[in-house]
Amino acid sequence: MKKNKNIGPALKNWLKNAFTKNIVLKIVSLIFAMLLWGYVLMTENPQRTKTITNVPISVEGEADLIARKLVLCGNKDHGNVTVKVNTQLTSYSDLSADDITASINLSNITEKGEHELVINTKSATGTAVSTNPDRITIKVDDLVSRAVPIEVRLEGEIPQGYWSGDIIYSRTEVTIEGPAEDVAKISNAVGVLDLSNITDSISKSLLLTLYDNEGGEMDPELFYSKLPSVTVRMEVLPMKTVPIDVDGAIIGADSLPKNYELVGYGVNGTGQVRIIGEQDVLDQIHSIGMEMVDITGSMENITEDVALIIPDGVRLLDDDTVNLHVNIREKNAEELFESVPIDIENLGKKLNASLSIEAADMRISGRISLINAIDRGDVKLYVDLSGLESGTYQVPVEIKLPKEEMMNELIWVLSADTVTVNIH
């Protein structure tokens, strides 16, 4: 029993000595073992299999397909595959998707339709042993080209105080190449021009977006052509609205015939026009003149088209002529005829009549020539008693003048518009 009790301490002591004595020798042995193992790996370099994901599929032989007037349909991204590669251990850690190619070859396709192709994979390091998936189905269509109309859509507005001219296109159509099925769906090619904050003339290239017949945007990757564009040019200049100087265009207003006067004049529209040009030129212009109109000796109204005078360095946005109207009339005069007798007309037979007043004053005005042609004896005041029987009535006082134009043009005022008449 005493002998068994000494076994435990002895074992413990042995283990302690194993790990604490000759420590240097043990470290050297470990290093030697590691170097030996590395030497074995370098000389033997065993094979290992590595799985690489997300290897993109590329296309070969597309030029041969296009030479046959055929083309791939759909998006040019054919997806990715997973490839297993056998490689030596020393290359294992560095092997990546960049070292692997996965491709399909179109060289043997001679007609449109769906085709199942083998995906060929190669590794720059090691050997590709499997591909998943290992096949892909592609669609081929006839390669056609078509002229598509170009449309430029405007967004925003030119800032206030500026003018923009028409858009000039470098071309009105763009030729699109691609699968017949997709090309047939194209409606137009649209570029967008933003006018916001534009204050100078522009020459700009716009990328075009293809739209189908239903107004949907089409993926440019569907087509063999490069992304189309169009160059547009548009003139942009400062704009100013100025009045038309009508006053400076009328001459001869002081040389009208005797007893005639200029009543007024003007032009059609707002009497203003819009001009465009460089800002420093516009700043010097405050009105637009007209060609002279001589009204010397005129006795009637004048209406005629008159050309505007456009200063150098500016352009007119509105019509270059205006319709001028000049109002000329004979001067007016006034005459007073006092105590003009009031006559009785159309009194019934065997009837007598008396008026509350037997005369009235008459003030008459109008054109001088008409007023001067009237003598007192030419003016007749009367009451018309047609159809009236015995009784008392309030009747209007009527007037007669020697000429019809006097009756139509002249204005008169009577001191008594009506009189009381007593018929018995």
Side-chain angles (χ1 to χ4, degrees):
M1 295 296 291
K2 182 177 180 180
K3 186 177 182 178
N4 290 338
K5 292 181 179 178
N6 293 329
I7 294 176
L11 178 62
K12 181 178 180 182
N13 187 54
W14 181 87
L15 290 173
K16 179 179 179 182
N17 291 333
F19 284 100
T20 58
K21 291 183 178 181
N22 299 320
I23 187 65
V24 174
L25 179 61
K26 291 181 175 64
I27 292 174
V28 170
S29 299
L30 178 62
I31 293 173
F32 179 76
M34 293 175 63
L35 291 173
L36 181 61
W37 176 247
Y39 173 76
V40 171
L41 289 179
M42 291 296 292
T43 56
E44 295 297 326
N45 204 6
Q47 295 282 322
R48 293 288 186 269
T49 300
K50 187 172 185 178
T51 300
I52 307 296
T53 60
N54 297 322
V55 178
I57 301 172
S58 61
V59 176
E60 297 177 354
E62 191 168 13
D64 296 331
L65 193 66
I66 291 172
R68 300 185 187 104
K69 296 297 181 182
L70 298 173
V71 68
L72 278 175
C73 295
N75 197 294
K76 301 300 185 291
D77 183 0
H78 300 287
N80 301 318
V81 294
T82 299
V83 181
K84 290 185 177 181
V85 179
N86 281 347
T87 185
Q88 293 178 325
L89 183 61
T90 53
S91 302
Y92 186 90
S93 61
D94 294 329
L95 185 63
S96 68
D98 293 335
D99 301 310
I100 301 171
T101 59
S103 63
I104 55 175
N105 197 304
L106 311 179
S107 300
N108 296 324
I109 297 177
T110 59
E111 60 183 14
K112 68 179 183 179
E114 291 189 350
H115 301 267
E116 186 178 69
L117 301 178
V118 174
I119 301 174
N120 302 306
T121 53
K122 294 179 181 180
S123 176
T125 302
T127 304
V129 294
S130 69
T131 304
N132 184 31
D134 62 352
R135 294 174 183 272
I136 186 174
T137 300
I138 56 125
K139 185 177 180 182
V140 173
D141 198 356
D142 292 323
L143 175 63
V144 299
S145 63
R146 174 172 159 240
V148 175
I150 293 174
E151 175 189 348
V152 174
R153 294 176 184 171
L154 303 180
E155 290 185 352
E157 295 182 355
I158 291 290
Q160 188 174 5
Y162 287 85
W163 163 89
S164 60
D166 294 332
I167 297 176
I168 301 174
Y169 299 72
S170 60
R171 52 180 173 169
T172 58
E173 294 180 330
V174 60
T175 299
I176 302 297
E177 285 187 299
E181 180 180 335
D182 294 322
V183 171
K185 297 177 182 178
I186 304 174
S187 170
N188 58 352
V190 178
V192 177
L193 179 60
D194 187 359
L195 301 180
S196 304
N197 301 320
I198 292 180
T199 57
D200 294 303
S201 298
I202 60 173
S203 179
K204 188 175 184 180
S205 179
L206 303 178
L207 289 179
L208 299 174
T209 301
L210 301 176
Y211 287 87
D212 59 27
N213 295 320
E214 296 179 355
E217 185 175 333
M218 302 187 73
D219 186 353
E221 293 296 322
L222 296 174
F223 305 99
Y224 178 67
S225 309
K226 295 181 180 179
L227 191 65
S229 65
V230 63
T231 299
V232 295
R233 296 191 302 276
M234 185 174 68
E235 189 178 18
V236 178
L237 288 170
M239 178 179 67
K240 186 177 184 179
T241 300
V242 293
I244 299 172
D245 182 12
V246 183
D247 291 344
I250 305 295
I251 60 175
D254 296 332
S255 300
L256 296 177
K258 183 180 179 180
N259 296 330
Y260 281 81
E261 62 182 351
L262 175 63
V263 179
Y265 47 80
V267 295
N268 59 309
T270 63
Q272 297 178 319
V273 290
R274 298 167 299 162
I275 54 175
I276 57 174
E278 297 300 330
Q279 191 63 58
D280 57 343
V281 177
L282 294 182
D283 290 341
Q284 304 301 315
I285 300 174
H286 304 291
S287 64
I288 291 293
M290 301 168 51
E291 291 185 351
M292 295 298 180
V293 177
D294 190 356
I295 63 172
T296 300
S298 298
M299 301 173 64
E300 297 178 348
N301 292 337
I302 297 173
T303 299
E304 63 179 75
D305 292 332
V306 182
L308 299 178
I309 301 173
I310 312 304
D312 293 337
V314 300
R315 281 181 283 161
L316 186 67
L317 294 181
D318 301 302
D319 290 339
D320 58 1
T321 61
V322 292
N323 185 256
L324 173 70
H325 48 85
V326 181
N327 294 330
I328 298 172
R329 70 181 181 190
E330 188 179 351
K331 293 179 179 179
N332 286 342
E334 185 178 88
E335 186 72 32
L336 175 63
F337 299 103
E338 296 179 325
S339 300
V340 179
I342 302 174
D343 296 334
I344 295 174
E345 292 188 357
N346 300 317
L347 180 63
K349 293 181 179 181
K350 298 183 178 179
L351 293 176
N352 295 310
S354 60
L355 303 177
S356 57
I357 58 172
E358 295 183 351
D361 297 335
M362 176 179 172
R363 187 177 299 276
I364 190 168
S365 61
R367 290 194 290 129
I368 288 181
S369 59
L370 293 180
I371 296 296
N372 291 342
I374 299 175
D375 293 327
R376 180 181 176 84
D378 296 325
V379 178
K380 180 178 181 181
L381 302 181
Y382 68 96
V383 292
D384 186 359
L385 303 183
S386 297
L388 298 182
E389 302 293 337
S390 297
T392 300
Y393 303 92
Q394 192 77 17
V395 295
V397 178
E398 308 284 354
I399 183 173
K400 286 182 182 180
L401 296 174
K403 296 182 179 180
E404 187 67 24
E405 61 177 335
M406 295 178 178
M407 296 294 298
N408 294 332
E409 295 186 34
L410 297 180
I411 298 173
W412 54 82
V413 176
L414 299 177
S415 60
D417 293 327
T418 62
V419 296
T420 302
V421 58
N422 183 21
I423 301 175
H424 53 276

